[in-house]
Amino acid sequence: MSDSAVFVPHFHWDREWYEPFQVFRHRLVTALDTVLATADADPDFRFTVDGQMAAVEDYLEMRPENRDRVAALVREGRLAVGPWLILLDEFLCGGETIVRNLQMGWAAAERLGGAMPIGYLPDMFGHVAQMPQILARAGIGHAALWRGVPGTVDGHAFRWRAPDGSEVRTEFLFDGYDNGLDVLLVPDRIREALAEYAEQTTGRWGGDPLLAMAGTDHNAPDPKLADWLRQASGEERPITVATLDEYLREHVRDEVTAVVTGELRSHVRGNILPGVLSVRLGLKQRMALAERTVDHAERMNALWSERDESHFLDLAWHKIIESTAHDSVVGSGTDETCDQVAARLAEAAQTARAVRDAALAEPAALVPSDGHLVANPLPVPRTALVEVDVVAAAEGPSLVATTADGTTHPVQLVSEAPTVLSDERLDASQLERVLRRIHRRELFGLLIDRYELTANSLVFHLAEAPAGSFDLMTLRGEVAAAAAAHPGEWRVLTLAEARATALVAVPVPAAGLAAFRVGPADGRPVAEVTAPVTATADRLANGLVEVAVAADGTLEVTGADGTVLSGVGRLVDGGDRGDSYNYAPPAHDVLVSEPSRVGVELLDGGPLRARLRVTRVYDWPAALAADDRDRRAAGTVPTPVDMEVEVRAGEPFVRISTAFLNRSADHRLRFHVPLPEPVTVSASAGQFAVTERGLTAEGGWGEYPLPTFPAGSFVSAGPATVLLDHSAEYEIVDDGSALALTLLRAIGSISVNIHPLRDEPAASEIPVPGAQDLGMRIENRFAVLPSADGWRGADAVALAEEFRAGVLVARGTAPGGTPLPPDATGPRVEGRDIQVSSIRRVTDSERGPGTEIRLAALRDTASEVRVTGAFTEATTVDLLGRAIGTEPVTGDGLELALGPWEIRTVVLR
């Protein structure tokens, strides 16, 4: 039995949840006012601020006069702050976002006197496999957490090991982050209650002091707490008040033998609430868009802009990180809370988009206005399919695209724009009204190229890039004179130049730029399309992958190695009587998997892109029965589901998007990929790792262990790999015979009091009608990659990046008809299964500006990586940007040896 105890006063602060942010902040200010007053009155008092600097920032924004008081307590070690900016959901954001969260939180804590060097993760719904490496590479040797720890851990600590072998000593808060509160219920009985708790948990502590976390959600400790504990302390069991940092540095042994490797998603000691992976789909999509946009903005700003936009980029990152909070992006808050999260993510994406577009505008200024600039955010060369608006060819030569080296490339036209924008007849006295539409030179979103003014007729010719000059004042005078000379009816015709939407396959260097223009063919040879696409009414193929539509609207997908996936796209809809935290099927569920009607339409026929639209109509129950939540209502709603199927030249996967207007409540819809043979494991990529999982999950607490799992950039089972646009939930179903991807989970309550798959409520039973997504268009985008060799043999790491990170396109702004600028190349990274999570501009006070590149080896064997570009010096830094050592640069390259699953950050100068 432990013969001493350490109490850690703290609170856990959900920044927004069942109330929106500002309501919770009002409570936060009151709570931290109490903490500061208690600390002023009692020199022995200590407090741990939940591991997240957001709470401190939010407080000081309202109480700026208390900054010095807070900083003094931090410097004295009486107030533990950081290291995170926010307590995040680790599975619903990218690995790079986790790193930036730690960086921003650490920096904010340092400004107040120093960060708590503990990876404090008290209430996350499970933990990612690479968290120990992230902490270790930031110089943090300890973690403390609650949920997800497997049943093999029987003590209060274990060594948590990442896939690369990195370890952190981890304090297991096995009774939660509020285990000390029951001891404090009756202040006069603390000594007795503590003895009883020590007896109950004696097998956990070994020779270490008992840890009593004295705090809970959204409340400061009682100001009398330290007095109570002084009175309860005695020789037989002395009590110390400490921060969590002090407990781990001064009171426990480092000799811990239990080792746990990889992610923590066990239900055995606490609920991990896996339903948050799939509720409120829109938040997951907004998170992915914001992350992708700020990543591309950083890359474009670092590589192609003279301006340092770090303030805007920091703002975008801050808003993204705020939104990763484990009650924010998960969607377990009220409707108004989730609306605010969505708005914050939109603002982050908008801020980043402004930086990205401004950076692209600089090299676009060297491209003629009849041309386009393509920017490749990936540090590998690629041939990218871009869609641009061009001047349509008159009858005669077909259109081709010409790049700066003079090579011509084929063009596929997919649509033509109307040329007659308006055809009006009006009296001469009304012509001035027409002229008021013109703003300097702009009319109907285009520019006036020229005009024809004759008796009783005015014709405008519009263009995107007009030739010659235009004077509005001259036009006004001419029209006034013509109207006076020719009264009566006039015809005003507004014509746009003939334009079309064109697809062009453009070769782009690694992290580089390429320019092209589209114009009439001039007889020069046209480059051949690699793996061109052919199409019929129900079949698409490009020599690398083939897809055929079956009678029931599902797909047969055949890979280059002959792997066949049949029945792809079977949709299965079932009821959901659960809540935002946990799925729950009604006891008497009705599954709908067969459509009532199927239609197929060919949209594009190749050779660069071919698309089919499969429309299936399903009769889904409208909701759960009003008088019995364990049954689906008898009334059904006919719901058309569009599935666009796309094959592109040179790609070994099939792009798929689904869309429908949701008119049903309380249901879950999943997209099935049947497997040729049953499997016993699956794997998904996310947060710097590819994690393998079995068909079951470990249970033992108060939550049924559904084997639904998170996926970031792809999920794979046997010969089927699905590339993802955003984080998603999946499950291997039908005894290992199918991969099911959740497209929608529509529910109506934050938590339900009586849940068939969870013993206790996860929150209050608050209605959230917005989480039903009624009347919303539900869209999902992914790709199916067949390969008998699984994700490794299919090169899924690289293809997932290519699928998710499209190229960026900007119209040139230099005078039309001038030569195209030559291609420009950025840093190039060569290596199998290497993810590049960040390329950004950094500045060091000693070494000056540089370009930081973060690499992750997503494989279980060592990797040889080569980085080439315009640099002569390379420095390895840790995840907080501190220099570790220099790397030898030979010629134009840097050779790096990465261990299995290693994260490496280098700065190039």
Side-chain angles (χ1 to χ4, degrees):
M1 183 186 303
S2 177
D3 58 2
S4 63
V6 176
F7 278 74
V8 174
H10 76 103
F11 57 41
H12 173 54
W13 206 270
D14 299 294
R15 195 165 184 260
E16 53 199 357
W17 183 17
Y18 55 82
E19 293 283 10
F21 163 61
Q22 296 295 359
V23 175
F24 267 133
R25 172 149 74 172
H26 190 270
R27 299 178 187 177
L28 170 69
V29 170
T30 301
L32 281 178
D33 280 346
T34 300
V35 167
L36 294 188
T38 303
D40 288 344
D42 188 343
D44 293 333
F45 182 73
R46 303 286 190 272
F47 191 77
T48 299
V49 191
D50 205 28
Q52 54 179 336
M53 280 302 298
V56 181
E57 289 185 348
D58 295 341
Y59 174 76
L60 291 178
E61 190 174 2
M62 295 295 104
R63 293 281 194 268
E65 67 276 12
N66 287 342
R67 174 172 289 274
D68 289 343
R69 291 173 67 193
V70 170
L73 289 170
V74 172
R75 288 193 301 270
E76 293 166 11
R78 298 173 60 200
L79 190 69
V81 297
W84 301 103
L85 178 60
I86 204 82
L87 291 182
L88 72 164
D89 186 286
E90 300 167 31
F91 292 97
L92 292 176
C93 64
E96 186 63 29
T97 301
I98 298 176
V99 172
R100 301 303 179 91
N101 187 342
L102 186 57
Q103 290 176 345
M104 296 185 88
W106 190 273
E110 286 292 300
R111 290 192 290 270
L112 284 175
M116 177 174 70
I118 298 167
Y120 187 46
L121 306 162
D123 199 29
M124 286 71 162
F125 307 151
H127 304 279
V128 297
Q130 288 280 37
M131 184 58 77
Q133 184 179 182
I134 292 171
L135 296 174
R137 287 182 181 264
I140 297 174
H142 288 267
L145 50 83
W146 167 32
R147 304 184 196 262
V149 178
T152 55
V153 176
D154 55 11
H156 74 103
F158 60 96
R159 303 208 70 82
W160 187 14
R161 183 177 296 162
D164 77 311
S166 300
E167 289 186 354
V168 290
R169 183 199 179 280
T170 303
E171 187 68 22
F172 177 24
L173 307 176
F174 58 89
D175 273 344
Y177 53 79
D178 59 355
N179 70 314
L181 288 190
D182 287 349
V183 174
L184 302 173
L185 282 175
V186 181
D188 292 340
R189 276 200 80 247
I190 290 176
R191 185 177 301 176
E192 294 79 6
L194 182 59
E196 292 167 4
Y197 182 67
E199 176 70 29
Q200 293 167 9
T201 61
T202 183
R204 289 276 178 183
W205 303 107
D208 290 334
L210 180 152
L211 171 63
M213 299 293 291
T216 188
D217 297 0
H218 319 133
N219 284 286
D222 193 294
K224 303 184 185 68
L225 173 63
D227 284 339
W228 296 343
L229 294 177
R230 276 191 289 266
Q231 294 170 13
S233 181
E235 292 185 5
E236 71 283 3
R237 183 170 285 105
I239 296 173
T240 303
V241 175
T243 64
L244 184 60
D245 180 30
E246 289 172 327
Y247 173 75
L248 294 178
R249 277 192 295 107
E250 301 173 7
H251 296 280
V252 300
R253 298 164 295 123
D254 276 334
E255 297 81 15
V256 177
T257 58
V259 176
V260 178
T261 300
E263 71 175 1
L264 305 180
R265 288 195 63 83
S266 170
H267 306 253
V268 73
R269 292 294 302 182
N271 298 337
I272 64 169
L273 311 172
V276 300
L277 298 173
S278 52
V279 74
R280 295 197 191 257
L281 167 71
L283 291 182
K284 282 63 172 176
Q285 293 173 326
R286 285 181 181 270
M287 174 60 70
L289 176 62
E291 288 179 315
R292 185 159 57 244
T293 307
V294 73
D295 176 36
H296 290 179
E298 282 190 330
R299 298 182 189 215
M300 296 303 106
N301 181 253
L303 299 176
W304 307 116
S305 176
E306 296 295 325
R307 301 170 58 184
D308 183 353
E309 302 275 24
S310 56
H311 292 301
F312 283 101
L313 293 167
D314 286 347
L315 174 63
W317 273 117
H318 199 288
K319 290 184 176 297
I320 289 171
I321 293 164
E322 289 177 78
S323 304
T324 65
H326 66 287
D327 286 306
S328 297
V329 70
V330 298
S332 61
T334 60
D335 286 349
E336 59 182 341
T337 295
C338 292
D339 288 345
Q340 290 178 345
V341 176
R344 188 186 304 130
L345 287 169
E347 191 175 350
Q350 292 156 8
T351 303
R353 176 161 53 89
V355 173
R356 181 200 68 193
D357 293 351
L360 279 178
E362 294 181 47
L366 304 176
V367 177
S369 59
D370 57 347
H372 290 83
L373 177 73
V374 182
N376 178 14
L378 299 181
V380 293
R382 62 200 289 201
T383 296
L385 189 65
V386 299
E387 186 173 293
V388 293
D389 178 60
V390 299
V391 177
E395 291 186 10
S398 59
L399 293 177
V400 295
T402 304
T403 48
D405 62 0
T407 304
T408 56
H409 304 268
V411 169
Q412 178 183 337
L413 296 182
V414 293
S415 67
E416 294 193 20
T419 56
V420 179
L421 302 185
S422 71
D423 188 352
E424 304 168 273
R425 297 186 183 274
L426 64 164
D427 189 79
S429 63
Q430 302 298 311
L431 288 177
E432 177 60 28
R433 294 174 57 191
V434 172
L435 300 184
R436 285 200 295 267
R437 299 171 181 165
I438 303 170
H439 300 275
R440 289 172 291 278
R441 193 169 188 167
E442 182 269 330
L443 177 61
F444 297 160
L446 297 170
L447 300 177
I448 296 174
D449 183 55
R450 67 186 192 281
Y451 60 90
E452 299 166 1
L453 180 62
T454 58
N456 299 96
S457 174
L458 174 59
V459 181
F460 292 107
H461 294 271
L462 310 184
E464 286 198 351
S469 60
F470 169 78
D471 186 345
L472 179 58
M473 297 307 296
T474 298
L475 173 64
R476 287 183 182 278
E478 291 177 351
V479 169
H486 304 283
E489 184 179 78
W490 276 64
R491 184 186 187 191
V492 179
L493 187 62
T494 306
L495 303 176
E497 63 186 341
R499 304 197 69 83
T501 301
L503 296 174
V504 183
V506 183
V508 195
L513 306 173
F516 72 95
R517 60 160 54 94
V518 175
D522 59 5
R524 284 181 293 172
V526 179
E528 293 185 1
V529 178
T530 302
V533 187
T534 59
T536 64
D538 59 1
R539 186 179 299 268
L540 311 175
N542 67 358
L544 299 175
V545 67
E546 182 176 349
V547 58
V549 183
D552 62 355
T554 63
L555 309 175
E556 181 178 270
V557 181
T558 305
D561 63 0
T563 297
V564 178
L565 304 175
S566 299
V568 172
R570 179 173 180 258
L571 298 180
V572 179
D573 184 79
D576 190 343
R577 59 144 303 173
D579 52 32
S580 64
Y581 293 104
N582 295 79
Y583 161 77
H588 308 285
D589 202 359
V590 173
L591 298 180
V592 180
S593 60
E594 299 302 322
S596 57
R597 295 194 303 277
V598 177
V600 182
E601 178 186 3
L602 180 64
L603 302 177
D604 293 333
L608 298 177
R609 181 183 76 187
R611 291 185 300 151
L612 292 165
R613 180 187 294 126
V614 180
T615 301
R616 292 173 285 180
V617 179
Y618 294 88
D619 296 317
W620 293 338
L624 295 179
D627 58 349
D628 184 359
R629 289 186 58 79
D630 269 319
R631 296 181 184 276
R632 300 188 80 178
T636 61
V637 179
T639 305
V641 179
D642 289 333
M643 179 171 66
E644 286 197 6
V645 183
E646 178 179 334
V647 172
R648 294 185 178 183
E651 291 185 344
F653 50 81
V654 178
R655 295 172 180 258
I656 297 174
S657 61
T658 61
F660 63 94
L661 185 68
N662 183 43
R663 300 171 61 199
S664 297
D666 309 312
H667 70 126
R668 180 180 71 173
L669 177 66
R670 302 209 284 190
F671 182 101
H672 282 224
V673 181
L675 306 172
E677 299 289 340
V679 298
T680 57
V681 296
S682 65
S684 74
Q687 300 83 32
F688 303 126
V690 180
T691 302
E692 287 196 349
R693 307 180 179 98
L695 302 186
T696 60
E698 183 183 36
W701 186 246
E703 178 180 63
Y704 185 82
L706 280 178
T708 51
F709 297 114
S713 59
F714 68 78
V715 57
S716 186
T721 297
V722 179
L723 312 179
L724 300 170
D725 180 67
H726 56 83
S727 62
E729 172 193 87
Y730 78 93
E731 182 180 359
I732 304 301
V733 298
D734 301 337
D735 297 322
S737 295
L739 166 64
L741 193 69
T742 305
L743 302 185
L744 173 69
R745 200 167 71 82
I747 51 89
S749 181
I750 286 182
S751 176
V752 294
N753 292 336
I754 305 298
H755 193 293
L757 302 184
R758 189 185 65 232
D759 288 349
E760 60 178 324
S764 300
E765 194 169 82
I766 300 173
V768 284
Q772 297 282 15
D773 280 331
L774 287 169
M776 300 295 292
R777 185 168 173 81
I778 307 301
E779 299 180 349
N780 283 274
R781 173 178 169 265
F782 42 90
V784 175
L785 171 63
S787 173
D789 294 327
W791 68 269
R792 292 179 178 87
D795 201 16
V797 171
L799 292 176
E801 291 293 293
E802 183 177 328
F803 171 71
R804 197 178 259 206
V807 294
L808 308 172
V809 182
R811 178 179 287 279
T813 56
T818 56
L820 296 170
D823 291 357
T825 303
R828 178 172 180 172
V829 177
E830 299 173 81
R832 179 84 176 188
D833 296 334
I834 299 299
Q835 179 189 48
V836 178
S837 71
S838 173
I839 301 175
R840 64 166 175 163
R841 182 197 305 259
V842 293
T843 300
D844 184 282
S845 58
E846 296 181 2
R847 294 180 173 85
T851 302
E852 181 188 85
I853 301 181
R854 191 156 11 261
L855 312 164
L858 301 191
R859 60 189 304 173
D860 51 14
T861 57
S863 300
E864 297 296 327
V865 181
R866 179 169 174 79
V867 183
T868 55
F871 59 91
T872 58
E873 175 189 335
T875 306
T876 297
V877 299
D878 70 6
L879 288 184
L880 295 181
R882 299 172 296 204
I884 297 173
T886 59
E887 302 287 347
V889 177
T890 57
D892 67 344
L894 168 66
E895 304 286 346
L896 296 173
L898 269 62
W901 308 108
E902 181 184 352
I903 303 167
R904 182 83 65 90
T905 308
V906 295
V907 177
L908 309 177
R909 292 182 172 87

